[in-house]
Amino acid sequence: MNLVQANDKQNHTAVQEFILVGYQEYPALLFTVFLAIYTAIILGNGLIVVVTTLDQALHTPMYFFLRSLSGLEMCYTSVTLPKMMVNLVSGDRSISLPACASQLFFMLFLGGTECFLLAAMAYDRYLAICLPLHYMTIMSHRVCVGMVTGSFTISFPMILLQIGMIFSLPFCGSNEIDHFFCDTPQLLSLACTDIHSSELALYFQSTIFVIIPFLLILASYVQIAKTTLRMPSATGRQKTFSTCSSHLTVVILFYGSAAIVYLRPKNPESVKVNKLLSLLYTIIIPFCNPLIYTLRNREVKNAFRRLLGRTRALKRGMGMID
């Protein structure tokens, strides 16, 4: 028994880095695809931030939250995609322990923040639809800033505790992570000690980040549904549905994929499925967010046209176009 422990300790000291297996087939093609997606994420979400900031008509709580979400999505995607693209180009899939810990911290921190921010957006819709006369009084700018700030700060101490718990475990044996970023389930599988108590604690924390905001969102939409069904006008019901459909689509995609990855029982067959689902909530949803929130949003499209008009007028004034 002492010999086994000694070997484990020796292996633990030897693990100075991890290998991100990721996706190894067709690296040139995948790099091109991921580069195009990353560029679209930055440009699309960045455009929402610019438009909702410059257009005075969009200085409302709803677009304040949307601007915060778009900024968050740019940061969230930047934690994984650049590293994955570098790995595809260089062929070097290694990541040091500190870099792995940092990547996991920002993934969990920003992911947890998004959960609470989506809950804040649902509450905003609830007030606008169910309590319209009190909406502007309750959702003051100070309250909006406080809700966004709270979404960021509420998850920080628990995520820090979670990172400390994971990286205090001894790692031995294989250092290959069958994923394209450092993630909790894969790291726990590499630990060479009993992880039962760690899994329970981490499962509990994940439940808090997923279930509590989800229940708040569910409660908000139950009240919204009740109010909508009592509306006498079909046009009013359709307008309400159109207002909420974008946010509800993002909630279903984000929470659905994240819940399957982090809350369902782990088994060897789930590794490939989890990797695909992780692509959904880390890359595809941030890519689709600008489309989801703008294609059916007349106010954003009109603001974008006004911005283009002002840009053309400025260019004409500077003699750059005829």
Side-chain angles (χ1 to χ4, degrees):
M1 191 67 179
N2 290 336
L3 181 59
V4 173
Q5 292 176 346
N7 287 336
D8 284 350
K9 183 176 181 180
Q10 186 177 16
N11 287 334
H12 170 52
T13 57
V15 175
Q16 300 298 324
E17 63 181 17
F18 294 106
I19 304 298
L20 296 173
V21 175
Y23 294 97
Q24 301 182 11
E25 300 82 6
Y26 312 109
L29 175 61
L30 287 178
F31 173 81
T32 303
V33 171
F34 288 137
L35 178 61
I37 291 175
Y38 184 60
T39 302
I41 289 171
I42 298 300
L43 291 178
N45 286 283
L47 185 60
I48 288 179
V49 172
V50 171
V51 170
T52 57
T53 300
L54 295 181
D55 198 293
Q56 292 291 328
L58 300 184
H59 286 189
T60 63
M62 175 180 172
Y63 294 106
F64 176 79
F65 288 121
L66 178 57
R67 181 163 62 249
S68 302
L69 179 65
S70 296
L72 179 67
E73 295 286 31
M74 289 190 287
C75 297
Y76 187 60
T77 308
S78 298
V79 176
T80 57
L81 256 180
K83 173 62 178 174
M84 183 161 55
M85 290 188 292
V86 169
N87 291 349
L88 288 169
V89 171
S90 66
D92 180 11
R93 300 173 184 273
S94 63
I95 183 169
S96 66
L97 282 173
C100 184
S102 298
Q103 187 182 62
L104 181 59
F105 170 79
F106 284 108
M107 278 297 299
L108 296 177
F109 172 62
L110 295 174
T113 299
E114 182 160 351
C115 289
F116 287 103
L117 185 56
L118 289 173
M121 295 174 74
Y123 179 68
D124 171 72
R125 292 298 84 209
Y126 157 73
L127 290 176
I129 294 168
C130 300
L131 300 172
L133 298 179
H134 303 283
Y135 176 65
M136 293 309 298
T137 302
I138 298 174
M139 293 302 293
S140 64
H141 181 70
R142 181 178 179 181
V143 171
C144 293
V145 172
M147 293 177 73
V148 171
T149 304
S151 298
F152 277 90
T153 57
I154 194 172
S155 59
F156 183 82
M158 292 189 67
I159 295 302
L160 203 60
L161 178 63
Q162 185 169 338
I163 295 298
M165 186 184 303
I166 293 172
F167 284 89
S168 65
L169 296 173
F171 296 104
C172 58
S174 174
N175 65 340
E176 289 190 349
I177 298 176
D178 192 8
H179 214 318
F180 57 89
F181 66 91
C182 291
D183 203 7
T184 302
Q186 287 72 24
L187 285 167
L188 289 178
S189 68
L190 299 181
C192 56
T193 186
D194 182 15
I195 59 171
H196 181 68
S197 59
S198 298
E199 283 185 319
L200 288 177
L202 297 174
Y203 187 85
F204 174 73
Q205 292 181 11
S206 299
T207 302
I208 291 176
F209 287 118
V210 174
I211 298 300
I212 291 180
F214 180 76
L215 290 177
L216 293 174
I217 293 171
L218 183 61
S220 297
Y221 275 104
V222 167
Q223 295 302 317
I224 290 172
K226 290 180 179 179
T227 302
T228 304
L229 292 175
R230 288 196 296 264
M231 290 179 178
S233 168
T235 303
R237 290 194 296 269
Q238 184 177 1
K239 184 179 180 180
T240 300
F241 174 76
S242 178
T243 301
C244 298
S245 60
S246 298
H247 177 260
L248 198 55
T249 301
V250 173
V251 167
I252 292 172
L253 292 174
F254 182 80
Y255 274 94
S257 56
I260 293 174
V261 171
Y262 290 104
L263 298 182
R264 73 171 178 167
K266 302 299 182 293
N267 59 74
E269 290 76 20
S270 67
V271 174
K272 291 183 178 179
V273 176
N274 288 351
K275 195 190 295 188
L276 288 173
L277 288 172
S278 297
L279 279 176
L280 180 63
Y281 68 81
T282 59
I283 297 174
I284 303 303
I285 293 177
F287 171 75
C288 293
N289 267 357
L291 301 176
I292 293 172
Y293 280 107
T294 57
L295 287 181
R296 298 185 62 183
N297 192 310
R298 186 176 300 174
E299 291 179 325
V300 174
K301 287 189 286 188
N302 289 338
F304 180 62
R305 293 190 188 100
R306 289 193 292 269
L307 179 63
L308 288 179
R310 288 197 297 269
T311 303
R312 292 194 186 101
L314 181 62
K315 287 182 177 180
R316 289 192 186 98
M318 297 175 63
M320 297 177 63
I321 58 175
D322 297 328

